[in-house]
Amino acid sequence: MRDITYPPVIVTAKTLFKALGMRFQTSGTEHIPREGGAVLAANHIGYVDFVFDGLAAQPSKRLVRFMAKREAFEGPTGRLMRSFHHISVDRDSGEESYNTAVEYLRSGEVVGIFPEATISRSMEIKELKTGAVRMAAEAGVPLIPMVTWGTQLLKTKDHESDIWGRGKTVALHVGPPLQVTGEDPVAETALLHAEMTRLLEKAITEYPISPEGQWWAPARFGGLAPTPEEAARLDAEEKAAKAARRAERENG
């Protein structure tokens, strides 16, 4: 793919992060292949995750093509997203985006996906969709788990934003590739979930700020984030409210 805007934007972003005094903790970036297709499956804790997830592929000199909701391709950012060759996802009809992702993978691209589909209010790894496993198996490429930590401090659900992240630390931990067959997507997705959970625990344990009493840390680590059960209730309420607003608009 021809990339005119993506590389210079990365250079600009790195310069900005340095100017803002941001620090990075990384591990396992060598697991991202220097060539050939791969699915990069990451957790989702904030609205700017994909901005940082792509940095994990920089040591391998790869550009990640992220699957993002259709709304991200509308408005002022749409042209930029398309120039990066990211993949638009219509949640009501995902077959087209799935097929596009498989084509990208077969052509040797690294495709980034958030298998939780939505931001995790609990900061834990939510239930994963099987799409990451299925597309990796169909394209015959490795499935690479990764976890980002610290991006929730910049912009996430239910909390004020600190989008510039001055002095913040962002952790990027990548796990060994999983070779999936797609014969049992549910079981292989469970393996992905277990590996992402391991990476999350590593990220929290090694993070320079203790999770105790922090709104942005999981309850089981002493944090104040909602438990997974509480988060599921909040997600359901949010979904119902959106559906009600959509129905109201459609009915005039």
Side-chain angles (χ1 to χ4, degrees), residues 98-147:
Y98 175 91
N99 291 336
T100 299
V102 171
E103 290 177 8
Y104 274 31
L105 293 166
R106 286 174 172 163
S107 67
E109 298 290 338
V110 177
V111 172
I113 185 172
F114 300 107
E116 295 167 286
T118 58
I119 289 174
S120 172
R121 284 183 160 100
S122 70
M123 305 300 165
E124 297 274 14
I125 307 299
K126 297 172 63 174
E127 180 180 353
L128 307 182
K129 308 295 185 183
T130 60
V133 164
R134 291 187 290 107
M135 67 176 59
E138 185 170 340
V141 301
L143 174 62
I144 303 173
M146 81 163 287
V147 156

Side-chain angles (χ1 to χ4, degrees), residues 235-245:
D235 288 346
E237 291 175 355
E238 179 184 42
K239 185 176 181 180
K242 286 182 178 179
R245 290 194 296 270

Side-chain angles (χ1 to χ4, degrees), residues 29 32-35 54-64 110:
T29 56
I32 298 177
R34 289 185 172 271
E35 59 183 22
L55 295 179
Q58 284 296 288
S60 296
K61 303 186 186 309
R62 302 301 302 274
L63 298 175
V64 183
V110 177

Side-chain angles (χ1 to χ4, degrees), residues 34-224:
R34 289 185 172 271
E35 59 183 22
V39 174
L40 189 63
N43 67 323
H44 202 10
I45 53 175
Y47 291 106
V48 295
D49 290 343
F50 75 96
V51 174
F52 294 92
D53 288 348
L55 295 179
Q58 284 296 288
S60 296
K61 303 186 186 309
R62 302 301 302 274
L63 298 175
V64 183
R65 318 299 178 176
F66 286 98
M67 301 186 75
K69 62 183 180 180
R70 182 184 57 190
E71 290 80 2
F73 291 79
E74 299 171 352
T77 63
R79 180 175 296 181
L80 190 63
M81 293 288 283
R82 287 188 290 274
S83 75
F84 291 173
H85 302 292
H86 293 327
I87 302 170
S88 175
V89 178
D90 184 342
R91 289 176 179 169
D92 295 326
S93 179
E95 184 177 356
E96 182 178 353
S97 57
Y98 175 91
N99 291 336
T100 299
V102 171
E103 290 177 8
Y104 274 31
L105 293 166
R106 286 174 172 163
S107 67
E109 298 290 338
V110 177
V111 172
I113 185 172
F114 300 107
E116 295 167 286
T118 58
I119 289 174
S120 172
R121 284 183 160 100
S122 70
M123 305 300 165
E124 297 274 14
I125 307 299
K126 297 172 63 174
E127 180 180 353
L128 307 182
K129 308 295 185 183
T130 60
V133 164
R134 291 187 290 107
M135 67 176 59
E138 185 170 340
V141 301
L143 174 62
I144 303 173
M146 81 163 287
V147 156
T148 305
W149 190 247
T151 53
Q152 72 271 46
L153 297 172
L154 308 182
K155 185 175 177 62
T156 192
K157 286 186 175 183
D158 308 327
H159 294 278
E160 292 185 6
S161 300
D162 182 11
I163 195 64
W164 293 109
R166 189 176 298 276
K168 297 290 193 302
T169 297
V170 172
L172 305 168
H173 296 293
V174 183
L178 303 175
Q179 302 297 333
V180 295
T181 65
E183 293 180 4
D184 189 342
V186 173
E188 290 180 325
T189 298
L191 291 176
L192 174 63
H193 191 285
E195 183 61 11
M196 290 176 68
T197 299
R198 181 188 70 81
L199 291 170
L200 179 67
E201 292 170 351
K202 172 183 173 65
I204 296 173
T205 301
E206 296 181 0
Y207 201 66
I209 305 174
S210 169
E212 287 285 340
Q214 304 289 352
W215 66 260
W216 43 263
R220 69 185 175 101
F221 285 88
L224 303 180

Side-chain angles (χ1 to χ4, degrees), residues 9-22 24 51 163-166:
V9 166
I10 290 174
V11 172
T12 302
K14 287 181 175 179
T15 302
L16 178 61
F17 297 154
K18 185 175 182 179
L20 292 170
M22 297 187 71
F24 291 88
V51 174
I163 195 64
W164 293 109
R166 189 176 298 276

